[in-house]
């Protein structure tokens, strides 16, 4: 149902059935250590190029999420996916492996929330029963496409952000899952994933034998990872992760596949954002370019839904970075809104200070992996009840800054609430 | 002692040039290609104005190793060519003076690109 | 979004966005740049020692070639970008930095094949340097005709 100018409510419930995330090694050591389903040891993942690796991550994330949901691919009605590469090639190449209708999306780093919004709208309208929403980004491929070759010895400016190497997939469905179904799906996950790989291979669709070996290797690695999970959590609990010693940036990562799910997350609405450009020219300061768009969507959301920031347990922006977060708060303060304690920026809180990423994480995989890996788990174990996620994107390519264009930003917001499982 | 003094001069002058470059990077957020072009043109100007030979005498590798030296070689070659062979020399002098450097850059680049692949980084 | 004018926001961003640490970066550039120049001096001294018959000009040319080799090799094995991250201008401005700007795209794009990858993309960054250099040398040469 349409609400106000830019927003909508979902009339029929749209449940988040499962989520799966794959991240690179650097992200595995970040503040969200222990939240992800699969951490790669090498971000090339046995492929010949970083683009191929990104595509593989995308593919495996979708496969993982579908397996975790206990579904088969013929039960998926539609796949919404996007990434940052030219002509969203990572998603399109990944989709070769699935016999499912594919809708390609691009809204830079806010593609994830765009896909969630469209997925919920499709399910709400009855056009689909089950959809997957996935995005990916890869540091090395993004660096080469938007910036400089990896080996070039230049200094990144202090306003720059680090593209997150990560892919994640969320399965949205109209069918309310039961506890038993969920438990069964999670228990048979490993088995099903292996079976699915083999099946694809016998069809001649998917890679070589070598790949299977690698896949099983990774699966073993993951098992080890899970058995070490308490140790990892203890280790990370010792490290004080605070940026500029602010309390609200803290996250406590400790999740595995069998985490206790007492609540069921569902998408209840959202706001589509406008393109906002306040004239920022510096392409290495994307946080500054995106903050006005995030604020614009935020205001529109509050106005359309007649809510106030205190209605939400937590508000997350996508990848504004530390400076972008400051700018976002500045714009809000100009309008007389103050977010105290409930506001976090996924990008700014992603990496530890010693990981030297200056402003923090960015990229289509940033908000995706944080939502699927961290926020969703917090929702499902009841820590958070109602959350607003504003993913943000800077709409530029390599040529527009050279043609003296300013950088427009965009932001889409979606609301997640929970109910008893 | 004499060696030490030479190296100290090389270190100081070379370091100062790089320091100037870093100042430009910090102040103007220039990319590395723009920095290199700026300093190469600086070398051309220094050579034409005649200041470069004094600098070279004072700090030898301190000015020839930075890209300033590349620029000065270009200008020097062009000027010599012009005085020896006229117009044709003026056109080809610069290139022939730096041909060894350019050729080696291209050849090494080609060979290493066949042998190595770029690696992802963590910092 | 009505309370904030475009100019006001641009000013805010200009004023508040984080700046490079001036002294630390300049000191790093000074030390690394100075060291690379000293290595260059060392190479030329060594060449003079080994080949006493070599003319001054040949020594200079060989030194350049050796420095370019060193820069290219360090780029190819993935060391130069880390040095550059630390030193900035200190590793960009020496001739090794020029070699880095040629070799890094060549190594980066070898996944697109030799023809349109390595060869075509080799001068993505160093192209302007060569073009500016050649144009400037021709201008200087023509001026030289009238001197």
């Amino acid at each position: 149902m349409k609400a106000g100018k830019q927003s909508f409510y979902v009339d029929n419930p749209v449940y988040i059935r499962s989520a799966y995330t794959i991240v690179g090694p650097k992200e595995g050591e970040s503040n969200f250590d222990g939240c992800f389903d699969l951490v790669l040891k090498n971000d090339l993942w046995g492929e010949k190029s970083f683009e191929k690796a990104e595509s593989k991550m995308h593919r495996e994330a979708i496969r993982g999420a579908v397996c975790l949901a206990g579904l088969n691919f013929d039960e998926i009605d539609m796949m919404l996916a996007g990434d940052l590469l030219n002509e969203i090639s990572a998603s399109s190449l990944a989709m070769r492996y699935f016999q499912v209708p594919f809708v390609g999306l691009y809204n830079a780093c806010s593609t994830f929330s765009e896909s969630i919004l469209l997925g919920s709208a499709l399910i709400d309208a009855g056009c689909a029963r089950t959809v997957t929403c996935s995005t990916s980004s890869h540091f090395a491929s993004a660096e080469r496409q938007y910036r400089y070759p990896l080996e070039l010895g230049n200094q990144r400016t202090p306003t720059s952000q680090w593209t997150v190497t990560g892919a994640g997939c969320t399965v949205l469905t109209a069918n309310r899952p039961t506890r038993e179904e969920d438990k069964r799906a999670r228990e048979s996950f490993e088995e099903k994933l292996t079976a699915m790989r083999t099946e694809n291979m016998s069809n001649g669709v998917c890679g070589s034998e070598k790949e299977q070996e690698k896949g099983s290797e990774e699966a073993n690695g993951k098992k080890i990872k899970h058995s070490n999970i308490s140790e990892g959590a203890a280790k990370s609990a010792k490290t004080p992760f605070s940026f500029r010693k602010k309390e609200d940036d803290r996250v406590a990562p400790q999740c595995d596949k069998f985490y206790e799910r007492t609540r069921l997350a569902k998408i209840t609405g959202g706001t589509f954002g406008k393109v906002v450009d306040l004239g920022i020219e510096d392409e290495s300061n994307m946080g500054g370019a995106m903050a006005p768009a995030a604020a614009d969507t935020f205001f529109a959301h509050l106005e359309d839904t007649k809510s106030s920031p205190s209605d939400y347990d937590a508000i997350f922006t996508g990848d504004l970075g530390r400076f972008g977060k400051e700018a976002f708060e500045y714009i809000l303060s100009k309008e007389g809104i103050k977010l105290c304690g409930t506001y976090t920026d996924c990008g700014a809180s992603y990496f530890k200070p010693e990981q030297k990423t200056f402003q923090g994480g960015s990229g289509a995989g940033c908000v995706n992996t944080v939502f699927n890996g961290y926020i969703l788990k917090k929702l499902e174990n009841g820590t958070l009840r109602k959350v607003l996620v504003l993913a943000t994107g800077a709409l530029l390519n390599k040529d527009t800054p050279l043609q003296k264009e300013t950088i427009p930003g965009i932001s889409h917001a979606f609301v997640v609430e929970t109910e008893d499982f | 002692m004499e060696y030490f003094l030479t190296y100290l001069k090389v270190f100081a002058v070379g370091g100062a040039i790089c320091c100037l470059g870093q100042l430009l990077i910090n102040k103007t957020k220039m990319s590395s290609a723009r920095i290199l072009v700026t300093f190469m043109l600086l070398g051309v100007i220094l050579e034409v104005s005649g200041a470069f030979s004094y600098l070279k005498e004072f700090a030898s590798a301190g000015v020839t190793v930075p890209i300033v030296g590349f620029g000065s070689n270009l200008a020097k070659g062009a000027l010599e060519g012009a005085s020896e062979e006229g117009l044709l020399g003026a056109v080809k002098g610069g290139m022939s003076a730096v041909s060894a450097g350019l050729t080696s850059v291209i050849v090494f680049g080609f060979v290493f690109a066949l042998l190595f692949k770029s690696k992802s980084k963590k910092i | 979004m009505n309370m904030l004018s475009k100019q006001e926001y641009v000013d805010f961003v200009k004023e508040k966005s984080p700046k490079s640490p001036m002294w630390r970066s300049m000191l790093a550039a000074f030390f690394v740049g100075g060291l690379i120049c000293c290595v260059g001096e060392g190479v030329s001294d060594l060449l003079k020692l080994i080949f006493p018959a070599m003319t001054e000009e040949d020594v200079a040319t060989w030194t350049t070639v050796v420095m370019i080799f060193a820069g290219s090799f360090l780029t190819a094995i993935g060391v130069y970008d880390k040095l550059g991250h630390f030193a900035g201008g200190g590793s960009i401005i020496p001739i090794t930095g020029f070699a880095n700007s040629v070799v890094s795209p060549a190594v980066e794009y070898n996944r697109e094949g030799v023809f349109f990858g390595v060869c075509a993309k080799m001068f993505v960054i160093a192209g302007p340097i060569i073009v500016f250099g050649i144009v400037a040398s021709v201008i200087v040469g023509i001026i030289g005709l009238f001197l």
Side-chain angles (χ1 to χ4, degrees):
Chain A
M1 187 184 69
K2 192 170 183 289
K5 195 170 176 297
Q6 292 168 249
S7 310
F8 72 99
Y9 291 113
V10 174
D11 298 319
N12 307 310
V14 178
Y15 299 103
I16 298 179
R17 184 74 176 81
S18 69
Y20 194 80
T21 48
I22 301 176
V23 296
K26 180 164 172 145
E27 289 70 21
E29 294 163 9
S30 70
N31 279 327
F32 295 102
D33 172 24
C35 293
F36 306 117
D37 293 292
L38 189 60
V39 178
L40 304 179
K41 282 206 185 75
N42 179 352
D43 56 6
L44 206 49
W45 206 0
E47 292 290 328
K48 284 208 172 75
S49 74
F50 295 113
E51 285 78 6
K52 283 184 203 292
E54 181 177 344
S55 185
K56 184 176 177 182
M57 283 166 69
H58 203 123
R59 183 175 87 218
E60 293 303 317
I62 294 173
R63 200 172 276 169
V66 172
C67 287
L68 208 53
L71 299 169
N72 292 316
F73 278 100
D74 48 13
E75 291 169 88
I76 308 289
D77 296 322
M78 214 175 278
M79 284 181 167
L80 308 174
D83 59 85
L84 301 180
L85 296 183
N86 278 329
E87 284 81 38
I88 52 170
S89 59
S91 328
S92 345
L93 295 183
M95 291 304 162
R96 286 183 301 194
Y97 296 89
F98 309 121
Q99 301 303 313
V100 179
F102 160 55
V103 180
L105 306 172
Y106 182 81
N107 253 193
C109 313
S110 69
T111 309
F112 179 62
S113 61
E114 186 193 11
S115 71
I116 292 275
L117 284 178
L118 289 176
S120 325
L122 284 171
I123 291 175
D124 185 32
C127 301
R129 299 291 294 171
T130 309
V131 300
T132 64
C133 304
S134 57
T135 59
S136 65
S137 62
H138 195 298
F139 170 74
S141 63
E143 197 71 7
R144 167 229 275 265
Q145 178 169 330
Y146 289 98
R147 296 176 197 102
Y148 301 105
L150 288 167
E151 307 294 349
L152 186 70
N154 62 337
Q155 262 175 336
R156 292 183 303 121
T157 59
T159 50
S160 63
Q161 288 170 290
W162 187 278
T163 306
V164 166
T165 304
C169 177
T170 314
V171 179
L172 299 179
T173 170
N175 313 331
R176 192 178 197 283
T178 61
R179 258 173 191 262
E180 289 71 46
E181 261 174 24
D182 188 62
K183 193 155 172 277
R184 221 179 309 131
R186 270 155 216 276
E187 273 164 1
S188 62
F189 171 71
E190 303 281 352
E191 209 179 300
K192 195 163 180 188
L193 196 63
T194 324
M196 205 175 267
R197 281 211 181 95
T198 336
E199 189 187 321
N200 269 336
M201 233 146 356
S202 60
N203 291 344
V205 204
C206 181
S208 58
E209 265 176 58
K210 210 172 147 195
E211 194 183 348
Q212 191 192 13
E213 277 167 35
K214 264 179 202 120
S216 56
E217 254 173 47
E218 293 294 343
N220 291 339
K222 184 169 56 181
K223 266 178 207 149
I224 297 164
K225 184 90 193 155
H226 279 300
S227 63
N228 284 345
I229 206 92
S230 54
E231 201 181 298
K235 192 173 64 191
S236 49
K238 262 181 252 164
T239 11
F241 17 70
S242 57
F243 297 108
R244 299 182 180 177
K245 297 181 184 80
K246 268 188 201 162
E247 290 288 303
D248 52 43
D249 267 341
R250 281 194 187 188
V251 288
Q254 40 185 5
C255 295
D256 72 322
K257 216 160 42 257
F258 299 100
Y259 62 98
E260 209 193 337
R261 297 191 353 142
T262 55
R263 315 270 305 166
L264 191 60
K266 52 180 187 178
I267 312 287
T268 55
T271 304
F272 288 102
K274 298 193 291 278
V275 171
V276 177
D277 189 343
L278 283 193
I280 302 299
E281 285 172 342
D282 183 3
E283 76 262 31
S284 65
N285 189 357
M286 297 206 288
M290 294 187 289
D296 185 72
T297 306
F298 188 56
F299 295 140
H301 181 79
L302 294 184
E303 200 187 310
D304 290 346
T305 61
K306 305 206 169 37
S307 54
S308 81
S310 55
D311 294 342
Y312 298 97
D313 289 342
I315 294 162
F316 291 90
T317 50
D319 50 359
L320 296 179
R322 272 155 239 175
F323 172 70
K325 191 179 173 212
E326 217 174 280
F328 181 67
E329 282 167 342
Y330 168 76
I331 299 171
L332 257 52
S333 72
K334 282 271 166 186
E335 301 273 335
I337 298 175
K338 205 167 182 320
L339 303 172
C340 31
T342 56
Y343 167 55
T344 315
D345 182 68
C346 300
S349 47
Y350 210 108
F351 292 106
K352 295 175 183 168
E354 65 267 26
Q355 287 181 302
K356 289 189 185 150
T357 55
F358 296 111
Q359 295 300 308
S362 73
C366 175
V367 64
N368 184 337
T369 52
V370 174
F371 178 78
N372 288 329
Y374 176 72
I375 303 171
L376 189 61
K377 284 162 188 166
K378 287 277 159 201
L379 283 162
E380 285 177 338
N381 69 17
T383 322
L384 300 170
R385 294 288 163 116
K386 189 177 183 187
V387 165
L388 176 71
V389 180
L390 291 141
T392 51
L395 304 171
L396 78 164
N397 64 25
K398 214 177 164 165
D399 299 327
T400 49
L402 296 178
Q403 295 177 2
K404 306 282 180 241
E405 287 282 358
T406 53
I407 302 168
I410 186 145
S411 172
H412 299 297
F414 63 91
V415 183
V416 194
E417 286 178 63
T418 59
E419 63 179 47
D420 277 323
F421 198 10
Chain B
M1 191 61 210
E2 196 193 332
Y3 263 109
F4 177 74
L5 207 65
T6 324
Y7 277 82
L8 194 70
K9 278 192 267 186
V10 169
F11 184 80
V13 174
I17 291 173
C18 295
C19 202
L20 195 67
Q22 183 64 36
L23 186 72
L24 270 178
I25 293 175
N26 286 354
K27 284 282 177 204
T28 62
K29 295 200 170 130
M30 275 194 205
S31 62
S32 62
R34 278 177 201 276
I35 290 287
L36 281 168
V37 169
T38 311
F39 275 79
M40 190 198 59
L41 292 180
L42 182 75
V44 171
I45 292 166
L46 283 176
E47 180 64 39
V48 173
S49 67
F52 195 82
S53 54
Y54 292 107
L55 278 171
K56 195 175 166 184
E57 207 162 295
F58 178 73
S60 55
V63 287
T64 54
V65 169
I67 194 85
V68 184
F70 185 79
S72 107
N73 264 345
L74 274 169
K76 201 167 143 195
L79 287 176
E80 276 172 10
S83 65
E84 281 164 19
E85 291 179 65
L87 185 61
L88 195 62
V91 170
K92 68 182 190 184
M95 266 301 254
S96 61
V98 295
S99 55
L102 262 179
T103 310
S104 57
V105 143
I106 293 172
V107 171
F108 292 142
F110 186 73
V111 170
F112 284 131
L114 297 182
L115 297 177
F116 292 91
K117 281 199 161 83
S118 62
K119 294 163 223 31
S120 190
K121 48 186 174 183
K122 278 187 138 189
I123 55 155
Chain C
M1 283 296 283
N2 310 319
M3 308 292 278
L4 189 73
S5 73
K6 213 166 174 173
Q7 193 54 45
E8 206 178 341
Y9 184 68
V10 171
D11 290 343
F12 167 81
V13 169
K14 205 165 267 176
E15 191 194 316
K16 285 288 166 73
S17 43
K19 310 277 184 301
S20 309
M22 191 60 92
W23 290 110
R24 196 210 65 86
S25 64
M26 281 176 65
L27 217 64
F30 182 81
F31 271 101
V32 174
L35 263 171
I36 292 175
C37 292
C38 282
V39 170
E41 180 72 18
V43 168
S44 86
D45 279 355
L46 217 64
L47 283 172
K48 271 183 220 159
L49 212 69
I50 301 169
F51 308 103
M54 215 183 257
T55 63
E56 192 85 352
E57 247 170 55
D58 283 1
V59 169
T61 309
W62 276 111
T63 309
T64 310
V65 172
V66 170
M67 292 306 282
I68 285 173
F69 176 81
S72 310
F73 184 70
L74 290 178
T75 304
I77 61 169
V79 173
Y80 210 85
D81 62 315
K82 293 186 180 69
L83 185 69
H85 181 77
F86 171 71
S91 60
I92 292 173
I93 290 169
I95 195 82
T96 48
F98 174 61
N100 172 255
S101 70
V102 176
V103 180
S104 64
V107 170
E108 176 74 40
Y109 287 97
N110 68 358
R111 295 189 172 96
E112 275 74 37
V114 174
F115 208 83
F116 287 111
V118 174
C119 301
K121 295 285 173 75
M122 192 182 259
F123 295 106
V124 163
I125 292 159
I129 303 158
I130 294 168
V131 173
F132 267 95
I134 290 173
V135 171
S137 90
V138 170
I139 292 171
V140 167
I142 288 169
I143 293 171
L145 284 179
F146 302 103
L147 289 180

